[in-house]
């Protein structure tokens, strides 16, 4: 039997320990200044193949390394070590179900916000379904946030670091307090950027449109998967800036991310987009989940078997 969530095993400092024994120093720069970079990686259980598949693990590790490099954190773990530890901690928990795995590199020790080391790591596999409410909805009523998305010249959205989620928090809490499910941010040029923890696609005239990476958007792995899947389905994709009112007039729109997967947007600022999941969104959602769960051999190269 896999352990209860409160007793699950976490990988920390080279050891696999129960979560209540995984401790860090309160003076560590990660605790004081959010000095960490991380990935949220999904694993999908395939009961027919009796196998757990990690989705696009190598691409997550590439992004983790880019984030680490941009924050000038010491390069302590090789990609091989990142992968070995990832697999070991899931096996230790004996998980045979869908997971969201948090893999975080952080600055420990007694330094300050300028410290580059020591860099340590924890890996926490979390059975899926326990995260934020907006990740478990059939469709989302969104608002355009009054908060601007962070930008590359202040706090780069390209870096997946804990501190960036303060901006996400402001947008998400404001949206919830005003009765919406989640927020969509505009960037510092007034164009659509992304959600607090997801990327955005809109569909108009059968074509998919998504903001550029230079529109203050995380280099999302789900976004990349959707672009590939859309090409394979003969759906045209445009990567370009999107105006706010253009989005209000979309035929379909959805948010996407490792946690969010593909979730339709029902309305934005009370402009109705659709009452249910649109046709293009539905097609992409089905093929995305089939690919991630190992039911589509064509995308098998995206998967890493755990067992
Ligand atoms: N944007 C933000 C701000 C996010 O936190 C996430 C989730 N990691 C995404 C986009 C989607 O990225 P991915 O598809 O790689 O999970």
């Amino acid at each position: 039997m896999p352990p209860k969530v409160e007793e699950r095993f976490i990988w920390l400092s080279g050891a696999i320990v129960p979560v209540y024994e995984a401790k860090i120093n309160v003076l560590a720069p990660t605790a004081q200044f959010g000095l960490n970079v991380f990935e949220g990686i999904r694993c999908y259980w395939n009961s027919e193949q009796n196998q757990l598949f990690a989705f696009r693990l190598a691409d997550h590790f590439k992004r983790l390394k880019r984030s680490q490099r941009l924050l000038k954190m010491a390069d302590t773990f090789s990609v091989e070590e990142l992968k070995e530890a990832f697999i070991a901690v899931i096996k230790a928990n004996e998980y045979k179900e869908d997971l969201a795995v948090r893999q975080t590199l952080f600055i420990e020790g007694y330094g300050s916000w300028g410290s580059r080391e020591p860099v340590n790591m924890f890996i926490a596999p979390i059975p899926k379904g326990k995260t934020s409410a907006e990740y478990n909805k059939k469709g989302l009523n969104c608002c355009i946030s009054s908060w601007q998305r962070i930008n590359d010249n202040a706090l780069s959205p390209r870096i997946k670091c804990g501190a960036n989620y303060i901006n996400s928090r402001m947008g998400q809490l404001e949206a919830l307090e005003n009765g919406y499910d989640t927020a969509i941010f505009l960037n510092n040029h007034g164009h659509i950027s992304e959600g607090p923890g997801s990327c955005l696609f809109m569909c108009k005239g059968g074509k998919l449109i998504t903001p550029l990476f230079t529109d203050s958007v995380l280099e999302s792995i789900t976004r990349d998967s959707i672009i590939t899947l859309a090409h394979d389905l003969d759906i045209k994709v445009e990567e370009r800036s999107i105006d706010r009112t253009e989005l209000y007039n979309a035929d379909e729109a959805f948010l996407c991310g490792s946690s969010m997967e593909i979730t339709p947007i029902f309305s934005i600022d009370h402009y109705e987009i659709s009452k249910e999941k649109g046709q293009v969104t539905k097609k992409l959602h089905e093929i995305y989940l089939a690919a991630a769960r190992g039911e589509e051999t064509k995308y098998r190269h995206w998967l890493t078997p755990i067992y």
Side-chain angles (χ1 to χ4, degrees):
M1 276 288 282
K4 282 194 277 182
V5 173
E6 322 72 272
E7 289 169 5
R8 67 171 179 261
F9 294 109
I10 281 193
W11 192 103
L12 177 70
S13 315
I16 293 174
V17 295
V19 60
Y20 51 82
E21 282 178 18
K23 299 207 166 69
I24 60 157
N25 168 11
V26 293
L27 289 179
T30 183
Q32 294 199 71
F33 308 107
L35 249 171
N36 55 67
V37 293
F38 69 97
E39 289 296 318
I41 305 165
R42 294 299 304 277
C43 293
Y44 291 88
W45 176 246
N46 184 315
S47 51
E48 263 175 29
Q49 296 175 39
N50 204 30
Q51 184 58 273
L52 185 65
F53 291 113
F55 188 61
R56 301 199 60 173
L57 196 56
D59 296 302
H60 279 285
F61 291 155
K62 278 186 196 155
R63 186 172 64 188
L64 187 66
K65 289 267 175 191
R66 292 199 298 271
S67 296
Q68 176 184 30
R69 176 173 185 276
L70 288 169
L71 285 190
K72 298 187 188 274
M73 290 167 63
D75 191 8
T76 314
F77 297 94
S78 68
V79 169
E80 216 26 65
E81 285 168 330
L82 296 177
K83 183 176 167 188
E84 260 173 36
F86 179 93
I87 292 176
V89 71
I90 295 173
K91 282 186 173 165
N93 283 287
E94 299 175 35
Y95 280 134
K96 295 192 167 181
E97 60 190 293
D98 293 357
L99 300 174
V101 185
R102 175 60 50 88
Q103 187 151 357
T104 301
L105 296 171
F106 58 94
I107 303 208
E108 228 186 350
Y110 293 87
S112 186
W113 45 263
S115 304
R116 296 166 190 243
E117 56 186 4
V119 171
N120 210 336
M121 173 164 72
F122 75 78
I123 309 172
I126 305 162
K128 183 51 188 160
K130 308 260 189 273
T131 50
S132 312
E134 74 274 19
Y135 296 153
N136 296 306
K137 297 229 165 185
K138 280 201 161 44
L140 302 163
N141 294 308
C142 304
C143 60
I144 299 293
S145 184
S146 76
W147 295 97
Q148 195 176 79
R149 188 67 182 139
I150 45 176
N151 74 78
D152 202 56
N153 289 321
L155 191 58
S156 177
R158 179 170 285 110
I159 305 172
K160 193 166 167 63
C161 60
N164 282 3
Y165 288 82
I166 299 301
N167 179 237
S168 300
R169 171 186 173 85
M170 299 308 271
Q172 181 63 23
L173 294 191
E174 178 193 51
L176 292 177
E177 284 173 1
N178 290 331
Y180 299 97
D181 297 315
T182 192
I184 296 162
F185 289 100
L186 301 179
N187 63 23
N188 56 331
H189 301 292
H191 294 131
I192 301 293
S193 63
E194 59 181 349
S198 53
C199 278
L200 178 140
F201 281 82
M202 64 172 267
C203 183
K204 189 76 186 172
K207 190 170 63 185
L208 278 177
I209 311 168
T210 193
L212 296 159
F213 281 151
T214 46
D215 276 329
S216 290
V217 169
L218 179 74
E219 292 173 342
S220 154
I221 290 161
T222 317
R223 177 187 179 281
D224 181 76
S225 306
I226 288 168
I227 290 172
T228 301
L229 295 170
H231 282 308
D232 293 351
L233 290 169
D234 276 334
I235 301 168
K236 274 216 175 95
V237 184
E238 262 180 30
E239 292 175 70
R240 63 162 174 82
S241 297
I242 297 175
D243 281 344
R244 177 177 187 160
T245 52
E246 190 186 7
L247 181 58
Y248 290 155
N249 279 338
D251 298 334
E252 297 177 32
F254 59 83
L255 290 178
C256 69
S258 301
S259 283
M260 186 72 95
E261 296 171 336
I262 294 177
T263 306
I265 293 174
F266 286 166
S267 70
I268 304 165
D269 289 343
H270 301 284
Y271 288 98
E272 185 180 285
I273 306 295
S274 60
K275 285 197 168 61
E276 52 188 31
K277 196 189 288 179
Q279 283 310 307
V280 176
T281 310
K282 189 163 179 276
K283 257 197 234 170
L284 286 165
H285 194 196
E286 281 168 7
I287 186 81
Y288 177 79
L289 289 182
R293 208 173 284 286
E295 294 163 0
E296 281 283 340
T297 46
K298 187 170 180 185
Y299 305 104
R300 190 62 178 68
H301 59 285
W302 279 348
L303 309 181
T304 304
I306 299 297
Y307 295 107

